[in-house]
Amino acid sequence: MTRNEEIIERAKKRLLQNYKQQPIVLVRGEACTVWDADGKAYLDLLGGIATCALGHCHPQIVAAAKKQMDTLWHVSNVFYSEPQIALAERLTTSSGLPGARAFFCNSGAEANEALIKLARRAQVDRGFTDRYELLTFESSFHGRTLATLTATAQPKYQAGFEPLPQGFRHVPYGDLDAVRRAIGPHTGAILVEPIQGEGGVRVAPPGFLKGLRALCDEKGLLLLIDEVQTGFGRTGKTYAFQHEGIIPDAFSLAKSLGNGLPIGAMVCTDAASKALPSGTHGSTFGGNLVAAAAACVAFDLACSEEAMAITVRKSARMFELARAVQARHPTRVKDVRGKGLLMGIEIDGGAADVVARCRDNGLLVNLAGEKTARFAPAFVATEEQLVQGLSLFERSL
Ligand SMILES: Cc1ncc(COP(=O)(O)O)c(C=O)c1O
């Protein structure tokens, strides 16, 4: 029995079997390379699913986390702490939201829960006690808590968990007319991903977010953007909504924010923030000092103008390589889509087998939806690694 197999056997006995796990145990990582328990190296172009944006064990982020660990880990949010404030300053000033403020939590689902609570109370404060409903989009993904899986418009995530919370309605993605028709007397907000990551890496059509902003202004709704997968410089802007030049009322972040340490955030306008005054929301671990200190360094490395210009260049190369693979295999590869360093390659007949063969060939990517292989490499991936990755992918087709 290999070391991988031994450890997996223990996992199968004692871990909740809620994940479809790939049959390797990862034990060490450095930038875009990870090693399994038997010493095999893999090129990691998934980065913990768009989470380790600066690669594994980035020395400057490790140093910041270690320094904070030696100083102070946790104090409770009944006290102020410097790393949280420094991170809030970065997230808010880069957002363009007027008077922006940040709330910290631990995950994407929690950040979206904060958005949902913010929207409901903001409408109540305006005197609209019946505007509790959020419109969300078919094939979206917003998390696994009861409220966020109800916002997630994919029946497979909801089956068996009924009764689901009230106040969510689902509309086709990218269809502004359908959104206009769906807005009713109870609608208070719209929650949208700029790119549907889990839904198969589907980019919102140009003008869609702008159209939603206009609709929200016309109807008195809040526009909430889920930037959990797309934020933090991944698409070449600090936040993907900035490609459309719009200002949401609030947005959520997680994944890349801590480069792998658990931290999430909700950022909102000063006006919207009034809906969550003292005592209305909170989290014990939210904005943990070690995660926040790491996130500050990660932000500076990922979201500077120079860094994002490099991300845009790497993205162009990655898409060029993928489209060349598509040109050589036009019947197998149905589509190449995405933006920045988030790319989906849709495979005729489904991508599960291809993703498994990629792993056997030493490349880590994953499934988004049933048919799409997702690439979400760290921004530190080199051009050679992108070339090697797409070549391993082609071999795995
Ligand atoms: C767009 C989006 N929102 C929310 C989430 C949920 O984040 P978490 O798993 O950290 O709760 C995810 C996770 O994949 C996501 O992609």
Side-chain angles (χ1 to χ4, degrees), residues 54-209:
L54 280 310
H56 300 285
C57 301
H58 189 292
Q60 283 167 267
I61 303 174
V62 170
K66 280 187 174 161
K67 186 166 171 228
Q68 191 60 46
M69 281 191 126
D70 285 336
T71 311
L72 190 66
W73 292 25
H74 174 81
V75 288
S76 162
N77 284 312
V78 300
F79 302 103
Y80 291 104
S81 60
E82 172 67 26
Q84 268 188 15
I85 300 163
L87 182 58
E89 285 165 349
R90 285 166 169 78
L91 300 185
T92 55
T93 52
S94 59
S95 73
L97 272 58
R101 295 177 180 279
F103 162 77
F104 290 112
C105 50
N106 311 283
S107 68
E110 278 177 89
N112 287 333
E113 287 273 349
L115 288 180
I116 296 164
K117 286 178 73 175
L118 178 87
R120 285 194 175 176
R121 272 191 65 122
Q123 291 294 5
V124 169
D125 289 350
R126 293 174 186 176
F128 299 111
T129 49
D130 55 351
R131 284 199 187 172
Y132 51 81
E133 182 185 81
L134 259 84
L135 297 185
T136 65
F137 293 93
E138 288 167 12
S139 299
S140 60
F141 188 85
H142 298 294
R144 302 286 199 154
T145 61
L146 273 175
T148 57
L149 76 81
T150 310
T152 294
Q154 299 197 54
K156 67 176 177 188
Y157 294 117
Q158 299 170 347
F161 297 116
E162 299 83 358
L164 299 174
Q166 290 182 355
F168 297 89
R169 222 140 44 90
H170 305 140
V171 211
Y173 191 57
D175 185 343
L176 274 177
D177 289 335
V179 180
R180 179 178 282 282
R181 283 195 303 275
I183 295 171
H186 300 303
T187 311
I190 296 174
L191 172 62
V192 63
E193 294 161 273
I195 301 172
Q196 293 190 323
E198 298 304 302
V201 192
R202 291 173 199 284
V203 185
F208 184 57
L209 296 185

Side-chain angles (χ1 to χ4, degrees), residues 121-368:
R121 272 191 65 122
Q123 291 294 5
V124 169
D125 289 350
R126 293 174 186 176
F128 299 111
T129 49
D130 55 351
R131 284 199 187 172
Y132 51 81
E133 182 185 81
L134 259 84
L135 297 185
T136 65
F137 293 93
E138 288 167 12
S139 299
S140 60
F141 188 85
H142 298 294
R144 302 286 199 154
T145 61
L146 273 175
T148 57
L149 76 81
T150 310
T152 294
Q154 299 197 54
K156 67 176 177 188
Y157 294 117
Q158 299 170 347
F161 297 116
E162 299 83 358
L164 299 174
Q166 290 182 355
F168 297 89
R169 222 140 44 90
H170 305 140
V171 211
Y173 191 57
D175 185 343
L176 274 177
D177 289 335
V179 180
R180 179 178 282 282
R181 283 195 303 275
I183 295 171
H186 300 303
T187 311
I190 296 174
L191 172 62
V192 63
E193 294 161 273
I195 301 172
Q196 293 190 323
E198 298 304 302
V201 192
R202 291 173 199 284
V203 185
F208 184 57
L209 296 185
K210 224 179 199 146
L212 291 180
R213 178 69 273 177
L215 261 180
C216 286
D217 290 342
E218 182 189 326
K219 305 279 187 186
L221 314 181
L222 282 90
L223 179 61
L224 313 172
I225 302 208
D226 182 336
E227 289 271 357
V228 167
Q229 194 154 151
T230 51
F232 218 73
R234 180 159 295 278
T235 67
K237 299 266 188 200
T238 307
Y239 310 111
F241 65 75
Q242 293 172 327
H243 288 287
E244 290 240 350
I246 58 148
I247 302 284
D249 296 279
F251 63 92
S252 54
L253 288 170
K255 285 196 176 279
S256 299
L257 185 54
N259 203 56
L261 287 177
I263 182 167
M266 179 199 63
V267 177
C268 62
T269 63
D270 181 51
S273 78
K274 305 278 191 288
L276 293 179
S278 170
T280 55
H281 198 49
S283 162
T284 292
F285 290 119
N288 167 269
L289 275 59
V290 177
C296 284
V297 177
F299 182 94
D300 295 343
L301 291 168
C303 300
S304 69
E305 288 303 323
E306 310 81 76
M308 290 193 290
I310 295 171
T311 296
V312 169
R313 281 206 297 280
K314 287 185 182 172
S315 161
R317 184 71 177 123
M318 180 173 79
F319 277 87
E320 178 189 44
L321 290 162
R323 295 214 162 97
V325 173
Q326 181 182 25
R328 289 191 288 273
H329 305 272
T331 50
R332 285 291 340 258
V333 176
K334 293 307 234 190
D335 197 13
V336 173
R337 52 180 184 255
K339 200 177 184 75
L341 289 175
L342 182 58
M343 179 172 76
I345 303 185
E346 187 175 323
I347 310 289
D348 186 43
D353 291 352
V354 178
V355 165
R357 277 196 295 278
C358 282
R359 182 190 63 244
D360 293 343
N361 288 328
L363 169 69
L364 300 188
V365 291
N366 88 328
L367 261 187

